[in-house]
Amino acid sequence: METNALITLTGRQSIDGEDDKYELTTLGKYTQKGDKYYISYEGSELTGYENTTTTLKVKEDCVSMIRFGSSSTQMIFEKEKKYIGHYETPFGSLSVGVTTNKLEVNIDENGGEIDLDYMVELNNNLPVHNGLHLTIRKVGNPL
C-alpha cells in the first residue's frame, strides 16, 4: 500500500580533495511490494535534479535508482560490484560507471535508512567519490 513519506537525503561528493555536501528533506511516496520497497520523490535545484522524478527500488542487498525527467538514468548499487549504464542530460548522453563500496539497508514497512558509499565514472574519466544517506519516515494515512 502506497503512503506518504518524509524523505531526508544527505549527499556528499569528493573531487580532488574538495568535499561538497547537501541535505534535502522532501515529501515523497513509500510502497512495499513483496520483499521490495519503493521510494519516489521529486528532485530539486539543490540536488541538481529539478523537474526529475527519482524512484528507488530497495532490497536487502541491492538498490536501483531510476530517474525520469530533464535528466534520466538508471544506477544499480550492489556491494563490490560495478554497474555500467547511460546518463541522459539535456546536453547529451554520458556513459556512467558506478562501483558500490558500501551498501547498508535497514528499512521495514514504517520506513528506515539506506546508506550508500560509491564511486562514479562519467565517460571513463577519473572516478568521483560519492555518498548518499536516506531516511524514510511514513507520514499520514495510506493513499
Side-chain angles (χ1 to χ4, degrees), residues 12-111:
R12 62 178 158 59
Q13 185 175 68
S14 296
I15 302 174
D16 296 329
E18 296 209 14
D19 293 334
D20 188 24
K21 295 180 182 181
Y22 69 87
E23 185 169 311
L24 171 70
T25 299
T26 188
L27 192 62
K29 305 290 183 207
Y30 186 59
T31 308
Q32 180 181 2
K33 293 181 183 175
D35 66 341
K36 298 175 192 73
Y37 294 90
Y38 295 84
I39 302 150
S40 63
Y41 59 91
E42 297 298 319
S44 76
E45 186 177 338
L46 177 66
T47 62
Y49 294 103
E50 59 188 328
N51 302 318
T52 301
T53 300
T54 299
T55 300
L56 299 169
K57 180 172 78 172
V58 182
K59 296 190 316 184
E60 183 179 329
D61 59 350
C62 180
V63 174
S64 298
M65 181 186 317
I66 303 166
R67 288 195 169 116
F68 291 106
S70 59
S71 297
S72 298
T73 190
Q74 177 180 6
M75 290 189 244
I76 298 175
F77 302 93
E78 287 186 87
K79 190 173 181 183
E80 298 176 3
K81 291 189 179 179
K82 184 172 185 176
Y83 169 80
I84 304 291
H86 291 281
Y87 182 37
E88 298 294 331
T89 74
F91 309 104
S93 179
L94 301 169
S95 168
V96 62
V98 177
T99 304
T100 305
N101 303 317
K102 181 174 98 173
L103 168 66
E104 293 179 0
V105 175
N106 184 18
I107 61 175
D108 60 24
E109 64 276 358
N110 296 309

Side-chain angles (χ1 to χ4, degrees), residues 2-8 25-31 38-41 109-112 135-141 143:
E2 187 174 80
T3 62
N4 288 321
L6 192 62
I7 301 165
T8 301
T25 299
T26 188
L27 192 62
K29 305 290 183 207
Y30 186 59
T31 308
Y38 295 84
I39 302 150
S40 63
Y41 59 91
E109 64 276 358
N110 296 309
T135 303
I136 306 102
R137 299 285 178 250
K138 284 173 57 171
V139 294
N141 295 321
L143 300 174

